[in-house]
């Protein structure tokens, strides 16, 4: 039995042919940054919040995922009716256990006034974290009305009061009042910034304007800040309702549909990433690729100036937008980082030892329930020139030690986690190491990202070299 899927093996063959990478080293576990999640409790409503709650309460629901053979809850969230036929919207992550393992789970709803009934899953949008459900028997929900969507042509002004509703921590339905702060800046996926508190259990509930119209759907909150929460905009909700209404209920594991949606997402993401030119880190000797901050945030740090040992400067660039597939699997994003080292104070021999040890200390991840073990290829390469760059004529060649690793997704065909690790090997007391990680990418995207990243490295020409 092969160690990696055939599709992954073919991808390695394509990378080897394109970049000259040969079989080599290393596979060790990697750590990934934790995602933001919902935590703080809801605030008390004002008179306006009370008025809107009374109007909307018949359309509010709690959505529960139960073990199929008993009434034990494995997850709870909130939802809201979108028509008189018993269709309702919640987050995908609220019903993800059912979507991926329907043979082990079932879905039920509970209304504010205590009605309960079975639900069926019609469609979902894994990228925007939305799901469309319908009551198996819509009769108990008849006559309750529906939450209207705020028209797209009526943008909400920043600072407007909005009212988030749901069932926080499974203690009862509640209203969290806050302010609308527009789209989240530097986010690849459209996300709204809600200046209010969302709690676990409110996921999938509606956030409404002062006329009771849907502005967005509760989705998450920051653990490291107060009154910083997030909503899925109304437009993807509108699209999902149009696509899913009348669909055949999902009764088999939905991995193939998740994979299809993720492939569409990664194609858009990688195309947008490749279209942006690299920024230069400003190193005096090396050209180092740093991504634009259009939908990334970059943070830097350095060793203390008075340090007597190895000096370094580091940059970490990450996307905030990540796609939830299941509890242990977040995907659909890119990270880039680099470290620039100066070993003048420790000498060439100790620098070479420390630089090599740092390179070998990188982790890529073991075989687990959802991904194969990392398969890596290593070789010394010369970076390809940047497309259309005149610098290739004046820059001296820069040999790089490069490692490319792939982990295939066992249940998401055609998708991989990609790691590209690079180190300069020409300096006696200075050097650079860089790493690009792309989570959930296809073969063509992986090959294009490797080319793009390696092309971002180079040597800065001396005045004499530039004058030639």
């Amino acid at each position: 039995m092969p160690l990696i899927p055939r599709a992954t093996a073919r991808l390695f063959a394509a990378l080897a042919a394109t970049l000259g990478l040969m079989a080599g080293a290393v596979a060790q576990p990697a750590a990934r940054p934790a995602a933001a999640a919902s935590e703080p409790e809801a605030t008390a409503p004002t008179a306006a919040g009370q008025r809107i709650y009374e109007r909307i309460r018949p359309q509010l629901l709690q959505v529960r995922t139960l073990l199929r053979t008993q009434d034990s809850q494995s997850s709870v969230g909130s939802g809201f009716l979108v028509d008189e036929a018993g269709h309702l919207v919640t987050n995908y992550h609220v019903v993800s256990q059912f979507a991926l393992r329907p043979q082990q789970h079932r879905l039920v709803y509970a209304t504010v006034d205590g009605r309960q009934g079975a639900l069926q899953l019609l469609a979902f949008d894994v990228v925007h974290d939305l799901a469309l459900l319908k009551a198996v028997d819509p009769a108990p929900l008849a006559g309750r009305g529906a939450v209207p969507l705020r028209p797209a042509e009526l943008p909400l002004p920043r600072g407007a009061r909005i009212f988030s509703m749901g069932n926080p921590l499974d203690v009862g339905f509640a209203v969290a009042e806050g302010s609308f702060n527009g789209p989240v800046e530097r986010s690849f996926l459209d996300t709204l910034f809600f200046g209010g508190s969302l709690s676990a259990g409110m996921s999938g509930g509606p956030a409404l304007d002062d006329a009771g119209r849907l502005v967005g759907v509760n989705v998450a909150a920051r653990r490291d800040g107060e009154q910083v929460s997030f909503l899925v905009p109304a437009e993807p909700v509108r699209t999902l309702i149009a696509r899913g209404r009348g669909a055949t209920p999902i009764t088999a594991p939905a991995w193939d549909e998740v994979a299809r949606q993720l492939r569409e997402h990664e194609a858009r993401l990688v195309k947008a990433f490749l279209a942006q030119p690299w920024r230069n880190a400003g190193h005096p000797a090396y050209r180092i690729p740093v991504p634009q901050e259009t939908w990334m945030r970059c943070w830097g740090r350095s060793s203390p100036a008075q340090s007597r040992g190895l000096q370094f400067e580091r940059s970490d660039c990450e996307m905030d937008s990540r796609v939830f597939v299941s509890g242990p699997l977040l995907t659909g994003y890119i990270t880039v980082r680099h470290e620039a080292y100066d070993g003048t104070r420790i000498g060439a021999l100790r620098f070479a030892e420390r630089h090599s040890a740092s390179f070998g200390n990188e982790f890529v991840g073991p075989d687990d329930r959802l991904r194969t073990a990392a398969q890596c290829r290593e070789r010394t390469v010369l970076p390809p020139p940047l497309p259309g760059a005149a610098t290739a004529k004046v820059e001296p060649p820069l040999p790089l030690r490069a490692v490319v690793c792939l982990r295939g997704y066992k249940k998401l065909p055609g998708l991989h986690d990609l790691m590209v690790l690079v180190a300069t090997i020409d300096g006696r007391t200075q050097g650079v190491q860089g790493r690009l990680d792309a989570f959930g990418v296809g073969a063509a995207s992986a090959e294009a990202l490797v080319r793009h990243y390696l092309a971002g490295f180079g040597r800065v020409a001396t005045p004499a070299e530039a004058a030639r």
Side-chain angles (χ1 to χ4, degrees):
M1 180 176 178
L3 291 176
I4 54 176
R6 293 180 181 177
T8 304
R10 288 196 296 271
L11 173 52
F12 263 130
L15 291 171
T18 302
L19 303 171
L21 301 180
M22 295 176 62
V26 301
Q28 297 181 18
R32 289 198 308 171
S38 301
E39 283 299 314
E41 292 193 6
T43 56
T46 63
Q50 294 169 1
R51 170 177 52 82
I52 293 170
Y53 174 74
E54 287 303 317
R55 182 191 305 175
I56 298 299
R57 71 189 298 269
Q59 293 118 49
L60 290 177
L61 304 165
Q62 186 182 53
V63 177
R64 300 171 179 168
T65 303
L66 307 180
L67 296 176
R68 181 164 288 279
T69 58
Q70 55 183 293
D71 288 335
S72 298
Q73 299 176 164
S74 57
S75 74
V76 293
S78 301
F80 56 97
L81 293 170
V82 293
D83 62 23
E84 292 280 3
H87 291 91
L88 58 133
V89 165
T90 187
N91 288 139
Y92 162 80
H93 76 254
V94 171
V95 299
S96 60
Q97 294 179 71
F98 174 85
L100 301 179
R101 298 188 300 278
Q103 70 279 7
Q104 298 176 23
H105 299 91
R106 57 194 176 91
L107 299 173
V108 299
Y109 70 83
T111 65
V112 177
D113 56 359
R115 297 289 187 94
Q116 297 188 27
L119 290 170
Q120 50 196 357
L121 175 62
L122 298 184
F124 59 84
D125 178 346
V126 69
V127 174
H128 292 101
D129 201 353
L130 294 170
L132 180 68
L133 299 88
K134 185 179 181 181
V136 173
D137 178 10
L141 301 179
R144 290 175 174 264
V147 174
L149 277 61
R150 183 181 174 92
E153 62 272 15
L154 292 178
L156 196 64
R158 193 181 297 264
R161 302 304 289 171
I162 54 178
F163 307 88
S164 171
M165 303 191 185
N167 194 323
L169 305 177
D170 194 23
V171 298
F173 289 89
V175 181
E177 184 175 343
S179 58
F180 174 79
N181 293 302
V184 173
E185 296 180 358
R186 286 182 281 177
S187 177
F188 183 75
L189 297 175
D190 291 335
T191 306
L192 301 180
F193 174 13
F194 170 51
S197 295
L198 296 181
S199 302
M202 295 184 74
S203 293
L208 310 168
D209 63 15
D210 58 7
R213 297 172 298 189
L214 186 79
V215 174
V217 178
N218 306 332
V219 69
R222 289 291 292 261
R223 287 176 174 168
D224 56 350
E226 297 181 3
Q227 305 290 306
V228 180
S229 302
F230 306 103
L231 311 172
V232 180
E235 196 55 38
V237 178
R238 201 185 317 272
T239 301
L240 178 64
I241 294 170
R243 173 168 66 85
R245 186 180 278 143
T248 301
I250 295 171
T251 57
W255 289 102
D256 286 347
E257 175 60 16
V258 171
R260 184 192 69 78
Q261 294 184 22
L262 289 175
R263 287 194 295 268
E264 290 184 353
H265 168 69
E266 70 89 15
R268 292 192 299 270
L269 171 61
V270 173
K271 181 179 179 180
F273 185 80
L274 297 177
Q276 298 183 88
W278 293 111
R279 295 185 294 142
N280 198 314
H283 194 279
Y286 297 108
R287 178 165 48 82
I288 307 169
V290 179
Q292 302 292 329
E293 293 193 70
T294 310
W295 24 264
M296 279 192 170
R297 285 177 173 80
C298 298
W299 302 92
R301 62 186 178 92
S302 63
S303 55
Q306 67 272 21
S307 173
R308 295 182 180 182
L310 184 67
Q311 303 290 300
F312 74 90
E313 291 185 349
R314 174 173 176 144
S315 170
D316 289 88
C317 301
E318 297 189 0
M319 294 174 59
D320 286 342
S321 300
R322 303 182 183 193
V323 179
F324 177 97
V325 176
S326 64
L329 182 56
L330 299 174
T331 190
Y333 65 100
I334 297 171
T335 68
V336 182
R337 67 170 170 85
H338 76 264
E339 295 175 340
Y341 297 98
D342 181 352
T344 305
R345 300 181 184 182
I346 62 174
L349 186 61
R350 290 180 62 197
F351 169 77
E353 180 184 1
R354 295 282 298 277
H355 195 239
S356 178
S358 178
F359 188 80
N361 198 36
E362 295 291 335
F363 303 130
V364 294
D367 185 3
D368 60 28
R369 185 166 54 86
L370 296 173
R371 285 159 292 203
T372 64
Q375 301 295 309
C376 300
R377 306 289 185 264
E378 177 180 353
R379 194 182 172 183
T380 299
V381 299
L382 292 176
L386 287 168
T391 57
K393 298 179 181 178
V394 298
E395 286 182 353
L398 175 66
L400 298 172
R401 181 183 177 188
V403 177
V404 174
C405 298
L406 288 169
R407 302 178 70 194
Y409 286 16
K410 295 178 180 179
K411 295 185 177 182
L412 298 171
L415 294 173
H416 311 77
D417 287 346
L418 167 72
M419 185 211 73
V420 188
L421 183 62
V422 171
T424 60
I425 54 176
D426 66 322
R428 295 185 73 251
T429 57
Q430 64 179 349
V432 172
Q433 294 180 17
R435 176 168 174 164
L436 178 145
D437 287 274
F439 298 90
V441 296
S445 294
E447 184 174 354
L449 285 167
V450 172
R451 281 180 168 274
H452 184 61
Y453 188 53
L454 292 182
F457 288 90
R459 277 186 57 198
V460 176
T462 66
E465 291 168 334
R468 291 175 188 171

